[in-house]
Amino acid sequence: MSKSHLIIRTLILVPIFAGCQQSEQVTVSGAVAKPGTYVYQPDKSANSYLEGAGGLTEEALLDSAYLVRGLVDSSGKEIIKSVTIPLSEHPEVLPGDEIKVPTRVYDVRLDTVRVLRDVRLVHENRILKIPTGALVSGWTERGVLVALLLGRGKVYEMVDTAKAVWAFHYLYVHLHPDEYSRLKGFSGNVIDSLEALEDAHAIHTRTRTQLDYVRPEGLQLPDTGYWRVLLGILLTPRSASFPGSGLRRRRFEDGRVWTTFPNGRQRWQYPDGRVEVILPGGVKKETRFPDGRVVSGYEQQVSRLTDESAVRNGVAGRAMEQRTSERVTKISAEVIPDGTIVTRKKEENEPAIQPDGYRIVKGEDGSSRETFPDGREIERNRFGQKITSWPDGRKEVRMPVAYSYPGPLRTDLAVVNSLPDSVAAGEELTVSGQLHSEVEDISIAAFLAPDGSVIKGAVRRQGRRFQARFRFGEVGHCRVQVQVVLPKARTFTVSHQAVVVGNPEKLEDEVLTIVPYPGDEAAEQFLIDEINAARRRIGRQAVLPHPNLMHVARIRLEEMLALGEVSHFSLSGLDVMWHVTTRRLPFSQVSENVANGYFVETMQASWMLSASHRSNILARHWTHVGVAVAKDRGMVWGVQVFARQ
């Protein structure tokens, strides 16, 4: 690499290696096993220094590693400027350079609440006790990094446990994921407590700045065995107008609890189970009821509009008549426990009501809701979906674009070149693009909508670039998907493109008929029937429900519910293959689909619109299946386990 000189006014900046003996060293810092200072050796590469420092840690981000070089003035004594050079450019290492390897950071998800009972922790030669409360775990891709124990507790001396020396309102525990087992003995079932999550988020936002392994972008993985406990108390709000900083709380003798938040929200909890949240800005109040209903009301603004119109009075001259009408702006929403969201969008005018009882409300965002005399309702949301509801609870969902991908696309993980709108039958179709550095693997697949089987492309990779070729001998409406795999087996869809092959008939709209949730067993039978119906449409043999696989699917479902998110792994990192193997079930191959959604019908439709899940459902070699479904926290959760005997 050629060396250049940077001239600033009369100062000549040169590399720092032209210094004294102390600079004949190279510093290696960050995510390496033995960070420190090492003797400079000519012609030694940056990778060699990293190896000399014990190699990278598991949390290292090598693609983001860089070299820091100080530039000094012509005297070689004073550092004027530092420059950074990515290691990907293979820079020459000079005396005085520092090689920095960033450490991976994680976003914390506080989304699961468990019952907490009889907590007894030893901390700094004292005993911390919480009789009852709630445990909110901060999950990351590596496991739990923070845990909040919400509940009034006391501190006791080890030598005298009869008298408390201090009290607290919560414990904030920062830990290595392996230490989370120390809390499991005190936690019980998962509960639905939005209030606990609200408190936990407020406490975490304020406390995270005090942690040891924290960066502006997120938390780093602590060292093995790390365990730190922070005790916190909640001050009393000063007043409704100026409650004070941070999370504050006051309990009244009549059972009411008043909580104020740093962002200006205020929450009132009543003895009858009602919860009222007063939000800053346009929303006046949100009320949560014990039966699961949530009603949000926005402030109503009424403006009077004057329309002057000329009215001839039949005689010479004019009389002016003023007509005044009211324009109402109002927003409200109600969430019903079965997951249905009833919304009333922003209304420019009052709802139009016909004499026969027909009513229509239109929103500014293009949404509308029509109510008919026979009890039917038709809602068109801003995404173009048309949802028809009948009085008996049935629903019909008509999608705006037939067989489009139902979830978000991670376009930040890969750049996929646009495909042509159509190709002739037998014509070659090339899928190409470039991957993000974090991607470990890639798969490209295609299928014909609505019923076609999955065709997997042979992917060729050269560095970060990739390419795959397809030929479709059958005319139809093709969907081409690109999926990538990140570390820890995280899989994401990055592209879903439609290509018409030949000149097929028009693809009919995608229409789903929704019925009220029929219960777990009926929902499981529905999925089994849908699986075999899809297999029969392409000539595949039906898969048979197996009691042992049904049991495994139920266990996997319970693990997901305990985790609070859709995952192929349990809290302890176990997957479906582990369950099948340890039970010595007579299956040589097994695979799994997992998902959640508002309805079991849309959940199955989403699986069929994902190439990897569709491939599982339609694979020729499966002989048996196990299914588990449950409705929890307003969502339907499902697991499908396929096996070959």
Side-chain angles (χ1 to χ4, degrees):
M1 183 175 98
S2 61
K3 299 181 179 63
S4 60
H5 297 274
L6 176 63
I7 301 177
I8 301 179
R9 295 181 181 174
T10 59
L11 293 176
I12 301 178
L13 302 181
V14 298
I16 198 172
F17 71 90
C20 59
Q21 183 65 27
Q22 289 182 348
S23 354
E24 299 291 314
Q25 295 177 330
V26 174
T27 302
V28 182
S29 63
V32 293
K34 301 177 181 178
T37 303
Y38 295 85
V39 177
Y40 168 73
Q41 298 181 27
D43 301 325
K44 189 173 181 180
S45 67
N47 287 335
S48 299
Y49 282 103
L50 294 178
E51 293 175 0
L56 303 176
T57 67
E58 187 178 0
E59 298 299 302
L61 294 174
L62 181 59
D63 288 345
S64 302
Y66 57 96
L67 182 146
V68 180
R69 178 168 297 161
L71 301 180
V72 299
D73 59 15
S74 57
S75 67
K77 296 180 180 180
E78 184 179 357
I79 296 179
I80 303 299
K81 184 179 181 180
S82 294
V83 296
T84 60
I85 308 172
L87 291 194
S88 58
E89 297 181 4
H90 307 290
E92 178 184 359
V93 181
L94 301 178
D97 286 351
E98 181 179 4
I99 302 172
K100 292 189 174 183
V101 183
T103 300
R104 190 183 305 277
V105 295
Y106 298 92
D107 292 325
V108 174
R109 304 187 311 276
L110 296 168
D111 55 10
T112 305
V113 184
R114 289 180 174 274
V115 174
L116 203 61
R117 290 191 180 92
D118 301 324
V119 177
R120 186 182 187 277
L121 296 175
V122 177
H123 175 64
E124 297 181 350
N125 295 323
R126 291 181 173 179
I127 299 176
L128 312 179
K129 293 184 179 181
I130 303 177
T132 60
L135 171 65
V136 182
S137 303
W139 291 95
T140 68
E141 298 162 6
R142 287 300 305 270
V144 176
L145 293 186
V146 299
L148 290 96
L149 287 68
L150 308 178
R152 289 185 285 185
K154 295 182 179 180
V155 182
Y156 299 84
E157 296 287 355
M158 292 284 289
V159 295
D160 183 12
T161 59
K163 184 178 180 181
V165 296
W166 197 45
F168 56 87
H169 293 116
Y170 65 86
L171 299 177
Y172 185 101
V173 183
H174 186 202
L175 69 162
H176 187 278
D178 292 345
E179 301 299 314
Y180 183 61
S181 58
R182 297 167 64 173
L183 300 176
K184 290 183 179 179
F186 311 121
S187 62
N189 297 330
V190 174
I191 58 174
D192 188 6
S193 176
L194 183 57
E195 291 71 40
L197 291 177
E198 290 173 338
D199 295 350
H201 276 280
I203 295 171
H204 173 67
T205 301
R206 188 177 181 88
T207 309
R208 68 184 301 275
T209 57
Q210 307 174 31
L211 304 182
D212 298 325
Y213 297 85
V214 65
R215 294 292 182 271
E217 316 86 63
L219 299 185
Q220 295 178 339
L221 183 72
D223 293 335
T224 301
Y226 182 82
W227 173 273
R228 182 187 178 192
V229 180
L230 301 175
L231 284 69
I233 60 173
L234 301 179
L235 300 177
T236 302
R238 298 171 183 169
S239 67
S241 302
F242 302 97
S245 62
L247 183 71
R248 293 175 176 245
R249 178 167 298 153
R250 179 181 177 184
R251 298 179 183 273
F252 295 84
E253 293 182 359
D254 59 5
R256 291 177 300 151
V257 180
W258 177 32
T259 306
T260 61
F261 294 84
N263 62 1
R265 291 186 302 121
Q266 300 190 29
R267 186 182 69 209
W268 288 88
Q269 296 168 265
Y270 296 92
D272 61 3
R274 284 182 302 117
V275 177
E276 290 184 354
V277 179
I278 302 174
L279 305 174
V283 179
K284 186 176 183 180
K285 184 172 63 176
E286 175 184 278
T287 305
R288 307 167 190 159
F289 293 89
D291 61 3
R293 288 180 299 123
V294 179
V295 177
S296 301
Y298 284 61
E299 288 187 352
Q300 179 174 312
Q301 300 173 349
V302 180
S303 57
R304 294 189 175 274
L305 307 177
T306 300
D307 176 25
E308 294 186 351
S309 59
V311 179
R312 295 186 180 274
N313 58 11
V315 217
R318 294 182 177 180
M320 301 300 297
E321 174 186 301
Q322 285 193 340
R323 296 184 306 190
T324 303
S325 63
E326 289 188 350
R327 177 169 292 179
V328 181
T329 302
K330 185 177 181 181
I331 301 177
S332 66
E334 181 175 354
V335 181
I336 300 174
D338 66 359
T340 304
I341 302 177
V342 180
T343 59
R344 291 169 178 80
K345 304 293 183 179
K346 210 168 185 179
E347 301 170 10
E348 278 284 324
N349 298 292
E350 294 180 349
I353 304 176
Q354 303 296 334
D356 61 357
Y358 170 80
R359 172 190 175 104
I360 181 170
V361 179
K362 295 184 178 179
E364 285 184 339
D365 58 0
S367 63
S368 66
R369 176 182 291 272
E370 298 173 86
T371 304
F372 296 85
D374 60 3
R376 284 182 301 125
E377 285 191 354
I378 297 179
E379 179 182 0
R380 292 176 172 84
N381 59 29
R382 62 188 180 92
F383 302 107
Q385 293 179 337
K386 178 184 176 183
I387 305 173
T388 304
S389 304
W390 284 270
D392 61 2
R394 290 179 298 117
K395 294 179 182 291
E396 179 186 88
V397 180
R398 188 175 294 269
M399 311 301 287
V401 180
Y403 304 99
S404 58
Y405 190 71
L409 297 174
R410 288 294 303 272
T411 55
D412 58 313
L413 297 177
V415 177
V416 182
N417 298 325
S418 298
L419 299 178
D421 294 335
S422 61
V423 296
E427 181 182 352
E428 185 176 81
L429 177 68
T430 301
V431 184
S432 60
Q434 186 168 345
L435 300 172
H436 186 274
S437 59
E438 195 177 359
V439 173
E440 292 185 344
D441 199 6
I442 179 175
S443 64
I444 304 176
F447 59 88
L448 293 179
D451 300 322
S453 58
V454 177
I455 304 171
K456 295 183 178 180
V459 182
R460 297 177 57 186
R461 291 184 60 177
Q462 185 174 4
R464 295 184 184 176
R465 296 189 177 276
F466 66 87
Q467 186 181 85
R469 292 184 171 90
F470 293 88
R471 288 185 188 273
F472 303 99
E474 183 181 355
V475 300
H477 299 268
C478 182
R479 300 293 183 265
V480 181
Q481 282 186 9
V482 179
Q483 293 183 321
V484 298
V485 180
L486 302 187
K488 309 302 178 185
R490 296 168 295 156
T491 304
F492 299 97
T493 300
V494 299
S495 175
H496 177 97
Q497 299 189 54
V499 178
V500 178
V501 180
N503 187 25
E505 296 181 357
K506 180 182 177 180
L507 188 62
E508 296 295 331
D509 290 343
E510 185 180 6
V511 179
L512 302 176
T513 300
I514 311 297
V515 300
Y517 187 70
D520 296 351
E521 292 186 8
E524 291 166 0
Q525 188 59 51
F526 169 83
L527 288 183
I528 294 173
D529 293 342
E530 288 294 304
I531 290 169
N532 285 325
R535 294 175 66 86
R536 283 194 298 270
R537 285 194 289 268
I538 60 171
R540 295 282 193 269
Q541 183 179 359
V543 288
L544 302 176
H546 194 286
N548 289 337
L549 291 179
M550 299 290 284
H551 179 62
V552 169
R554 176 58 56 178
I555 293 175
R556 287 288 301 114
L557 179 64
E558 292 174 354
E559 289 174 344
M560 277 204 316
L561 294 176
L563 188 63
E565 65 179 20
V566 175
S567 174
H568 288 290
F569 298 94
S570 68
L571 291 169
S572 54
L574 306 180
D575 60 5
V576 65
M577 192 63 195
W578 183 90
H579 287 290
V580 171
T581 303
T582 55
R583 287 168 175 78
R584 298 182 179 180
L585 301 184
F587 302 109
S588 60
Q589 190 176 353
V590 66
S591 190
E592 176 188 60
N593 285 344
V594 293
N596 66 0
Y598 287 112
F599 310 105
V600 66
E601 295 88 351
T602 56
M603 186 169 63
Q604 173 65 16
S606 298
W607 274 326
M608 289 298 291
L609 289 173
S610 167
S612 58
H613 296 93
R614 174 185 282 247
S615 180
N616 269 346
I617 292 172
L618 301 179
R620 187 188 303 272
H621 53 270
W622 299 134
T623 58
H624 294 82
V625 68
V627 174
V629 183
K631 191 164 187 179
D632 187 80
R633 285 162 275 189
M635 302 287 285
V636 177
W637 302 67
V639 175
Q640 297 174 335
V641 178
F642 300 92
R644 178 181 184 180
Q645 196 167 39

